[in-house]
Amino acid sequence: MVVSVSVVMLLVVIAALLMRNKNLKVSHAIVCGLLGFCLAGSSLAPTIQSTVASTADLVSTIRP
């Protein structure tokens, strides 16, 4: 599945604007879900996955 970069960027901008509003509605959740699906199908998916995994590993090593 090839996802256009412009679609992903449009969804990123929309999600950022909705988060700044601080008023989460069903439509906002749908936009964020679509953004996640588009990112999962893009070439950025391995980079995002490795970043999240390394951040989770770092946080799990911190002792309170």
Side-chain angles (χ1 to χ4, degrees), residues 1 11-12 15 17 24 26 28-29 35 37 40-41 43 50 52 54-56:
M1 176 179 167
L11 289 174
V12 167
L17 290 173
L24 186 63
V26 175
H28 302 163
L35 173 62
F37 280 110
S43 60
S50 65
V52 170
S54 64
T55 304

Side-chain angles (χ1 to χ4, degrees), residues 3-24:
V3 177
S4 173
V5 174
S6 60
V7 172
V8 173
M9 289 305 298
L10 175 66
L11 289 174
V12 167
V13 169
I14 291 171
L17 290 173
L18 293 175
M19 286 190 306
R20 285 188 58 170
N21 190 15
K22 295 184 182 183
N23 191 5
L24 186 63

